[in-house]
Amino acid sequence: SADPVPSGSDPGYSSWEQEEDLSAPPSIPQAETGTGVILSITPPSGEALTYTQVYEKAAPSIAALTAYSAGMVSTGTGIVLTADGYIVTNAHIIAGAEQVNVTLSDDSLWSAQLVGFEPLEDLAVLKIDASGLTPAQFGDDTLLRSGDPVSAIGNPMGYRSTITPGIVSALDQPVSVEGTTMYLLQTSAAINYGSSGGALLNDRGQVVGVTTIKIVADDGSAEGLGFAIPTTRVKQVVDRLIAGAPVTRPSLGIIVRRGQGENGGLVVEEVDPDSDCHRQGIHRGGQRAAGPDLRRPGADQAHPGRGRLPAPGGPAGRGAPGVHRHSDGSGRLLTLSPPKRVSRSGRYAYSVWKSS
């Protein structure tokens, strides 16, 4: 993890604040980018597996990470992406590291190079000079529904390759850390210190999320509140990191809710004053009726009052315009804007705790 454990402190206590800058990339050797490697998402097939079968399928693809920086040692988890040593993990695990070691399921130890690092998405890609590895199979998180069985595999508290069972608690759950909001899979599967960067698995043993955050409370009242980055988003970010391309999150600059008036539609609740929506006269209370789909299938189950754009790689990510319908029936073409960069200082207090 990127979270150093202070002497005599339980790393799970949310009242502990640490000042480490988790936006700082590691100062380890840089690996080649633009290699053409991509993350492939495979449709599910066959019958559902037992938890034992899921573990046997996925465990060979789970790695333990150890990062060293300024006299500190931090640990976490990674997922083998390719047979020749690409590893997907959380950015906060390796932030600021001067050396990153990868221990594979066969206990072999490797020194990692950095392919790409994106702190706002909390994702990074490492490369080790290995061959013949067992890549994880990545599945489609958009097929998940609340209540589906899942399991998490990681290295919690240093206990290697540990599996914990659970369910999908919610889809597209908004979680904010230091001003950055991520839309995550919520799960009841236990996620603990050292589990970040590990795999959230469906009942076919496919990776449907990369575990990243756990909610805790000082009085112990918060239980079973773990979160994972959905694989569709992981793919978008990882593919761009490996290609050496920048990662952006384009936005129309509006927050919407489902309308109850004419033809339903989406009612604008907020407008970013720096967005093209604002420049073209879109106002609070207006109704958005067409354009790129603001929600993925099943998102209504998670938060019916929130609309958001697809991430890069979808129609909106390619710069497709939206259409805003006013009461006179006119339409306007809107330009997507890049997101504002928000610093992730790495301070956690009283509610959100990075699991690794």
Side-chain angles (χ1 to χ4, degrees), residues 23-298:
S23 66
S27 56
I28 60 177
Q30 182 70 44
E32 181 183 5
T33 58
T35 58
V37 172
I38 62 170
L39 187 157
S40 296
I41 293 180
T42 304
S45 61
E47 298 295 324
L49 305 178
T50 66
Y51 284 120
T52 299
Q53 292 169 325
V54 166
Y55 179 84
E56 290 173 345
K57 177 178 179 178
S61 305
I62 302 302
L65 305 186
T66 307
Y68 302 87
S69 59
M72 295 186 295
V73 179
S74 49
T75 61
T77 306
I79 304 169
V80 176
L81 175 63
T82 65
D84 62 347
Y86 282 86
I87 308 287
V88 176
T89 189
N90 285 151
H92 77 265
I93 297 172
I94 62 172
E98 299 167 358
Q99 179 181 341
V100 178
N101 289 343
V102 176
T103 304
L104 299 176
S105 61
D106 63 359
D107 292 328
S108 61
L109 181 66
W110 304 80
S111 180
Q113 295 181 317
L114 179 67
V115 176
F117 179 86
E118 177 46 58
L120 289 184
E121 301 287 348
D122 200 18
L123 288 169
V125 180
L126 301 171
K127 179 70 170 66
I128 60 174
D129 188 19
S131 61
L133 306 186
T134 302
Q137 186 179 87
F138 287 80
D140 187 351
D141 68 275
T142 67
L143 301 178
L144 294 173
R145 294 295 179 263
S146 295
D148 283 353
V150 289
S151 54
I153 296 185
N155 303 297
M157 310 299 290
Y159 292 100
R160 290 269 305 278
S161 199
T162 297
I163 184 171
T164 54
I167 62 169
V168 175
S169 303
L171 305 169
D172 289 322
Q173 196 76 297
V175 178
S176 295
V177 179
E178 292 294 321
T180 299
T181 299
M182 304 171 72
Y183 289 84
L184 305 174
L185 297 172
Q186 182 181 333
T187 180
S188 63
I191 298 171
N192 294 294
Y193 186 98
S195 296
S196 278
L200 186 70
L201 303 159
N202 64 14
D203 61 6
R204 303 309 199 275
Q206 296 176 309
V207 180
V208 289
V210 176
T211 55
T212 180
I213 288 172
K214 177 181 180 178
I215 304 294
V216 298
D218 287 333
D219 61 3
S221 59
E223 296 181 3
L225 293 174
F227 297 87
I229 306 166
T231 49
T232 48
R233 184 56 183 162
V234 174
K235 173 178 171 56
Q236 292 155 358
V237 175
V238 164
D239 285 356
R240 295 186 70 81
L241 291 178
I242 294 175
V247 177
T248 60
R249 291 186 287 178
S251 171
L252 283 174
I254 57 175
I255 294 177
V256 300
R257 61 177 171 81
R258 187 171 298 283
Q260 301 298 322
E262 178 189 358
N263 299 323
L266 298 173
V267 176
V268 177
E269 290 196 323
E270 295 182 27
V271 181
D272 184 344
D274 295 328
S275 69
D276 196 44
C277 286
H278 183 268
R279 287 189 291 271
Q280 297 208 36
I282 291 176
H283 54 83
R284 182 176 178 180
Q287 185 177 25
R288 188 178 188 279
D293 185 6
L294 287 180
R295 326 157 68 78
R296 67 166 205 173

